Amino acid sequence: MNVIIINGPMGVGKTSVGKHIADSNPGTAFIDGDWCLDLHPFVGNRETKTMAIDNILHLIGNYKKCSACRMIVLVWLMDNDWVYKAIADGITELDLEIKSVTLTCDENTLARRWEKDTGCEWRTDEWLKVSMASLGYFSSLANVIDTSSLSIKQVAGKILDQC
């Protein structure tokens, strides 16, 4: 069973692409890492991220046991190397195959996508600045797909072609 990890900055389209992959491939479980760290107010420190990693790995382990599940898509902003490593190591310990991709885009595209996403509480000017500042980091990671001129379907296709 494959686990597709989709990483990238806030607003780049991780959730949209991950949901498209899940909706287009029967037997695919979709995990949004934010669900596993949904504290109010938000606290994003090492303790809470470690808890979220544990929650994510438990979900993945349970989906592995499910006969109806054939693939897992995990979307989460992992802007610390130790977070990604903990997730990847945990998936490897579960004896599952990992396909990892990082989505990025240019600043203009990020700003346009940000403005269109009116349903997300994180779409504030302050968080847009944080996301813009993270573009360089995410662009430096391995297996990056620049989504600036691509549709959700095209990005999903590129990811699935690599699996």
Side-chain angles (χ1 to χ4, degrees):
M1 180 184 303
N2 284 336
V3 178
I4 299 172
I5 300 173
I6 303 175
N7 190 15
M10 290 183 286
V12 76
K14 297 180 301 293
T15 300
S16 297
V17 170
K19 284 183 177 180
H20 180 82
I21 291 171
D23 290 343
S24 303
N25 295 276
T28 300
F30 174 78
I31 301 171
D32 186 330
D34 289 345
W35 300 339
C36 300
L37 179 54
D38 193 9
L39 294 172
H40 297 258
F42 175 74
V43 178
N45 60 27
R46 190 169 190 102
E47 176 190 15
T48 60
K49 288 179 182 182
T50 300
M51 176 198 62
I53 292 164
D54 186 57
N55 290 342
I56 289 166
L57 293 174
H58 273 86
L59 283 171
I60 291 171
N62 283 335
Y63 279 124
K64 178 186 176 187
K65 297 174 200 172
C66 177
S67 65
C69 184
R70 298 194 327 243
M71 180 168 60
I72 300 166
V73 175
L74 166 64
V75 300
W76 199 27
L77 184 158
M78 292 173 271
D79 58 356
N80 297 104
D81 292 338
W82 72 267
V83 172
Y84 177 82
K85 183 174 178 355
I87 292 284
D89 289 350
I91 293 169
T92 300
E93 287 177 19
L94 289 167
D95 200 28
L96 296 170
E97 297 291 322
I98 300 171
K99 175 61 195 161
S100 182
V101 64
T102 298
L103 304 184
T104 191
C105 64
D106 61 53
E107 289 184 0
N108 291 332
T109 301
L110 183 61
R112 276 196 318 275
R113 290 176 183 170
W114 201 273
E115 290 171 10
K116 289 181 183 179
D117 190 3
T118 57
C120 180
E121 65 184 282
W122 293 98
R123 299 304 181 247
T124 65
D125 290 343
E126 179 184 344
W127 282 112
L128 177 57
K129 289 176 187 172
V130 171
S131 189
M132 291 275 192
S134 73
L135 285 172
Y137 169 77
F138 287 109
S139 294
S140 74
L141 298 177
N143 203 18
V144 173
I145 297 175
D146 184 336
T147 67
S148 299
S149 62
L150 301 174
S151 69
I152 292 167
K153 185 176 180 178
Q154 289 171 318
V155 175
K158 283 182 172 282
I159 292 169
L160 291 171
D161 285 348
Q162 298 177 15
C163 292

